[in-house]
Amino acid sequence: MTLRRRVGAGSLRATSATAAAVAAMMIIAACSSSGSSSNASSSSSASSSSSASTTGSTTIGVDLTYNDTAFWAAYINYETQYAAQLHIKLLGPLLAAANASLQNTQIETLVNEGAKAIIVNPETATSLGPAIEYAAAHHVQLISVDTIVGVGKVYMVVRASNILYGLDACAYISSKVKSGYVLDLEGDLTSSNGADRTNAFDACMAANDPAVHILKDPTVWVEATAVTDAQDAVNAYGSQLKAIYSQWSSPDTGILPLLKGKSLAGKVLVVSDDGVPFEMCDISNGSINASQSQPANLYAYWALKYALDAANGVTLSAGQPGGGAPTLQMVTYAGDTNLGDPIVAPFVTKATQTFTITPVDGQSGTVTTTSVGDTALWGNVYGSAHGGVCSSSAS
């Protein structure tokens, strides 16, 4: 089995030898994973919620915003698995439950309980200021997962390239749609993830599909808003609506019945983001056409690896080989710049395809997809451990 990535010489889509070797190790681990999630404590004390081996030589704290989705359940499972392989003792994961003040307090607790570095999924890009200051005063550095930090210095940002998310969606849609309307269900444009996906998609569509009219609907990641916007577009444009790009997966469950009810299922392209099990199911049966697989396994492994580097005083810099990306890069948000590993996430379609587009944002003009049948995709691993990707227990 192989974890396919898009390849383009000299671009962000190139795959380094280091990344390929580690990916091969992770695929072996992923295929042997049970896929079950741990019941992480939401307490502000880390000691009672320690997971992974207690014989590990390095203590790493973990604080997440959520654990109640398939993605974060899979992430926690991979994290536990890789921590054991890397001889790490985990403190946590603690759960902030979208409470920024609680998250700052929890990180202080992890510092006080002996964490040598801390992995955090921030509530927002600008909510960690007190925690970063407190940790720095105690010579502890933070690794941010899935969110750029714009309120201080962290050791590393481990986050998929959301620019590629938008470009990949554009590559698929622009290759098949040459007229009419395309609905872009945007996320939160004040977030780096939503802004990057939207800006890249818009720039790419303008360069590659100028005859198509883009309907831009900001949703602030609210599923009900996205489904209502999709219904409005269907009612207004009917068969002239040629594609829907949903910047996250949750709206799919409302959009697909809507299209079926209007006899537009299979006629309107649907491209989504996340790579959750039900998307793997929907791609397989043709209900949606493509999805970006936000890589829970790569997030977990590289966050831990960089946490070890931080704990051991390793100095990293832009241009060095990355783990999920060919090279480490500086990423900027709200005036703060931090070192990041912009992971190249698999773009999943029913069968492997290659698209050539006019490149934008300095990226490659070649996009090669990953087949939905690739058993190393985290959505497939998690789904197979929960009754199959089409099972309600995997959702």
Side-chain angles (χ1 to χ4, degrees):
M1 290 171 290
T2 59
L3 181 60
R4 300 180 183 89
R5 290 184 182 154
R6 298 167 295 288
V7 179
S11 74
L12 180 59
R13 296 173 188 264
T15 303
S16 68
T18 301
V22 175
M25 182 199 77
M26 289 191 292
I27 289 165
I28 295 171
C31 292
S32 65
S33 169
S34 66
S36 61
S37 64
S38 61
N39 291 321
S41 169
S42 60
S43 164
S44 62
S45 172
S47 14
S48 63
S49 59
S50 296
S51 55
S53 170
T54 57
T55 60
S57 58
T58 305
T59 300
I60 303 296
V62 180
D63 194 292
L64 305 178
T65 300
Y66 301 107
N67 75 335
D68 57 352
T69 66
F71 176 85
W72 287 111
Y75 171 89
I76 291 169
N77 187 63
Y78 281 117
E79 185 173 66
T80 302
Q81 177 179 303
Y82 297 145
Q85 295 174 10
L86 295 169
H87 306 292
I88 289 172
K89 175 185 176 182
L90 294 179
L91 291 179
L94 303 183
L95 299 173
N99 185 324
S101 177
L102 174 61
Q103 187 165 65
N104 278 283
T105 299
Q106 289 175 336
I107 291 172
E108 291 185 14
T109 298
L110 290 168
V111 170
N112 294 338
E113 293 193 0
K116 303 304 181 184
I118 296 172
I119 297 166
V120 58
N121 168 234
E123 162 58 16
T124 71
T126 57
S127 62
L128 283 180
I132 291 173
E133 290 182 10
Y134 187 87
H138 292 78
H139 309 292
V140 174
Q141 298 190 76
L142 274 57
I143 293 81
S144 179
V145 174
D146 192 41
T147 301
I148 286 179
V149 173
V151 68
K153 299 303 178 185
V154 295
Y155 184 80
M156 184 69 67
V157 174
V158 178
R159 169 181 175 262
S161 171
N162 284 248
I163 290 173
L164 292 185
Y165 280 29
L167 293 181
D168 288 348
C170 163
Y172 188 92
I173 292 171
S174 66
S175 72
K176 302 178 185 302
V177 176
K178 298 302 176 184
S179 64
Y181 296 83
V182 169
L183 173 62
D184 181 7
L185 296 172
E186 302 168 332
D188 186 348
L189 298 182
T190 66
S191 76
S192 55
N193 290 357
D196 283 356
R197 295 177 200 189
T198 296
N199 293 339
F201 182 76
D202 288 350
C204 177
M205 290 296 289
N208 289 276
D209 227 0
V212 171
H213 184 75
I214 307 299
L215 305 171
K216 304 176 182 180
D217 286 1
T219 68
V220 200
W221 308 120
V222 176
E223 179 181 344
T225 301
V227 175
T228 297
D229 289 348
Q231 184 172 33
D232 290 345
V234 167
N235 291 339
Y237 300 102
S239 62
Q240 289 302 301
L241 182 66
K242 302 298 180 67
I244 297 173
Y245 172 35
S246 177
Q247 293 191 10
W248 81 113
S249 60
S250 297
D252 296 356
T253 57
I255 291 170
L256 297 183
L258 168 67
L259 294 178
K260 184 176 181 181
K262 296 291 186 176
S263 299
L264 292 174
K267 300 175 183 178
V268 176
L269 301 178
V270 179
V271 177
S272 189
D273 282 336
D274 282 340
V276 297
F278 74 71
E279 287 177 297
M280 302 298 99
C281 175
D282 289 339
I283 292 172
S284 296
N285 65 31
S287 298
I288 68 174
N289 300 89
S291 175
Q292 203 82 44
S293 177
Q294 183 164 262
N297 54 340
L298 298 177
Y299 277 17
Y301 181 84
W302 288 107
L304 288 169
K305 192 70 171 60
Y306 291 126
L308 275 180
D309 287 344
N312 291 327
V314 176
T315 299
L316 299 174
S317 59
Q320 290 182 309
T327 60
L328 301 179
Q329 299 178 21
M330 301 306 294
V331 293
T332 300
Y333 186 77
D336 274 328
T337 299
N338 284 289
L339 190 61
D341 187 351
I343 291 172
V344 180
F347 186 48
V348 183
T349 53
K350 192 166 187 176
T352 301
Q353 302 178 60
T354 298
F355 305 104
T356 301
I357 59 173
T358 299
V360 297
D361 291 327
Q363 305 302 319
S364 170
T366 301
V367 174
T368 299
T369 70
T370 297
S371 166
V372 72
D374 189 329
T375 56
L377 291 167
W378 81 264
N380 287 333
V381 173
Y382 188 87
S384 66
H386 291 80
V389 294
C390 296
S391 169
S392 59
S393 63
S395 298

